Amino acid sequence: MSSSGQSAAAHSFNKILHQPKSSKSKRSGDVDDSLKKLRRMILVEGIPSTVDPTLRPRIWKILLRVEDISAESFLQYVSRGPCEVREKIRNDTFRTLATDRGFKERVREDMLVRLLDAFVWRNHDRQETQQLGFTYVQGMNVLAAPFLYTMPSELEAFYCFAKFIEEACPLYVQPTLEGVHRGLKLLDRCLQIVDPDLFNYLRMKNLSAEIYAFPSVLTLCACTPPLDQVLQLWDFLLAFGVHLNVLCVIAQLLLIRDEVMNSSSPMKLLRTFPPLEATPVMGIAVTLVRDLPTELYDELVRHPYEIRDM
């Protein structure tokens, strides 16, 4: 998009964001219309964060419905110091997005540790009132990284991360990583429908999504640089649902389909996906939705959060 186009897009986003806050006189339908416009603009134009760096954090907070931000509570969690799984956290935080210089310059390791400690303390206090419990699990450090990079303060990053984890993808961070494994099984089922030849070729090579797509599903593609493209993809996932990440992984696969199909050892290609390109990935993911049977898509929508009956 040209600089003038980005400026126009920034103006359009700000126009929606500057609408009066909902009041008694403001109908819920008006709020829904504003959210629909916001989502459509994210898909069609993308958030022009280079023109207005304040847009992304403001939009993410709206999409996540983050309203209650208590500095007092956050500072209370932080004041407790290391949580019971601090060692596990420290084993992961030092390597979070380690190759991204921009991330390392903006987000120090102690910020990540502090946020994750606070999250564990928060859920330690709330475990009796929640259906699901939360502690630190593998991959949570990478899921926290975009929030610390994007938000203007650790406080805002903490509440956005907590809302995201607890409501958008709670099953992805259970000790068994139940949601992740569901997502991987769904990836295989979706791929079999949208590209049976590619699915069969990978199966012939004994490659299931569990083998080649685990990091991409676990981290919602945040493991594939560059970070600016990850953030653009997350704009899309926060707007339309994290379930779409499964289709975004398939989209990345389809972008290298010919190379994979012509490779005698496709795992060498799949071990590390090429640099992420958010725009084509989102475009393909949206078209894939139409190819899926309704029941399968419904299952995809529910897999990050729906607790199954035992």
Side-chain angles (χ1 to χ4, degrees):
M1 192 189 293
S2 67
S3 57
S4 60
Q6 286 203 337
S7 296
H11 176 74
S12 298
F13 273 109
N14 274 306
K15 194 173 174 184
I16 294 174
L17 296 176
H18 287 147
Q19 285 178 354
K21 298 282 184 193
S22 60
S23 61
K24 288 179 182 176
S25 61
K26 192 171 174 67
R27 299 188 309 274
S28 62
D30 296 335
V31 177
D32 290 343
D33 285 346
S34 295
L35 269 173
K36 281 179 186 173
K37 283 180 191 170
L38 205 54
R39 290 186 177 114
R40 187 165 60 245
M41 286 177 65
I42 287 168
L43 184 61
V44 175
E45 300 184 42
I47 299 174
S49 54
T50 50
V51 174
D52 185 348
T54 72
L55 280 174
R56 178 168 281 127
R58 287 153 66 205
I59 289 168
W60 280 19
K61 282 192 282 187
I62 288 170
L63 294 172
L64 288 164
R65 293 180 167 85
V66 171
E67 292 163 0
D68 300 322
I69 293 179
S70 167
E72 186 182 350
S73 295
F74 177 63
L75 291 171
Q76 188 183 41
Y77 299 139
V78 170
S79 70
R80 295 191 200 177
C83 69
E84 59 196 9
V85 288
R86 161 65 78 84
E87 192 175 336
K88 193 175 177 184
I89 290 171
R90 288 298 300 271
N91 284 340
D92 290 342
T93 49
F94 76 93
R95 55 177 171 236
T96 307
L97 307 187
T99 59
D100 192 291
R101 184 184 294 176
F103 176 77
K104 289 294 179 188
E105 287 173 357
R106 190 180 299 187
V107 180
R108 300 184 314 276
E109 186 187 356
D110 66 286
M111 294 163 67
L112 258 175
V113 172
R114 193 158 43 241
L115 181 146
L116 294 167
D117 267 337
F119 179 75
V120 174
W121 282 123
R122 165 186 165 96
N123 284 284
H124 179 273
D125 290 354
R126 304 170 75 201
Q127 56 191 358
E128 291 181 9
T129 61
Q130 295 184 133
Q131 194 171 9
L132 287 171
F134 297 93
T135 185
Y136 178 78
V137 298
Q138 175 192 6
M140 219 181 243
N141 57 313
V142 182
L143 294 175
F147 293 106
L148 280 167
Y149 184 84
T150 298
M151 291 296 149
S153 69
E154 287 183 52
L155 178 66
E156 289 160 283
F158 171 75
Y159 281 101
C160 286
F161 171 74
K163 192 82 181 273
F164 176 70
I165 292 294
E166 292 161 9
E167 295 188 10
C169 55
L171 295 184
Y172 270 54
V173 295
Q174 293 304 299
T176 59
L177 304 180
E178 183 186 344
V180 177
H181 293 297
R182 276 196 211 173
L184 290 162
K185 287 186 176 70
L186 284 162
L187 196 156
D188 280 329
R189 289 167 61 194
C190 292
L191 182 61
Q192 188 172 18
I193 287 166
V194 301
D195 196 330
D197 290 344
L198 179 57
F199 172 82
N200 290 331
Y201 183 70
L202 291 173
R203 270 299 153 102
M204 188 175 74
K205 297 290 183 179
N206 294 315
L207 291 175
S208 66
E210 283 273 357
I211 295 170
Y212 66 81
F214 182 81
S216 296
V217 173
L218 174 73
T219 66
L220 304 177
C221 290
C223 62
T224 306
L227 182 55
D228 68 309
Q229 294 298 300
V230 170
L231 298 179
Q232 196 179 328
L233 188 68
W234 275 39
D235 295 339
F236 171 67
L237 296 177
L238 293 178
F240 295 97
V242 297
H243 64 281
L244 289 171
N245 181 59
V246 168
L247 301 184
C248 289
V249 179
I250 292 177
Q252 290 177 79
L253 200 54
L254 295 179
L255 287 168
I256 55 169
R257 183 186 191 278
D258 291 345
E259 296 96 307
V260 171
M261 292 288 282
N262 291 323
S263 172
S264 57
S265 303
M267 190 57 201
K268 288 180 181 176
L269 288 167
L270 299 176
R271 193 168 284 119
T272 307
F273 278 135
L276 185 65
E277 294 180 77
T279 301
V281 165
M282 292 186 297
I284 294 168
V286 169
T287 62
L288 292 178
V289 171
R290 301 170 200 154
D291 296 333
L292 299 179
T294 304
E295 281 186 17
L296 179 57
Y297 184 70
D298 287 345
E299 200 175 330
L300 188 66
V301 170
R302 297 192 307 267
H303 88 272
Y305 62 81
E306 184 178 77
I307 303 168
R308 291 174 177 164
D309 295 329
M310 297 302 288

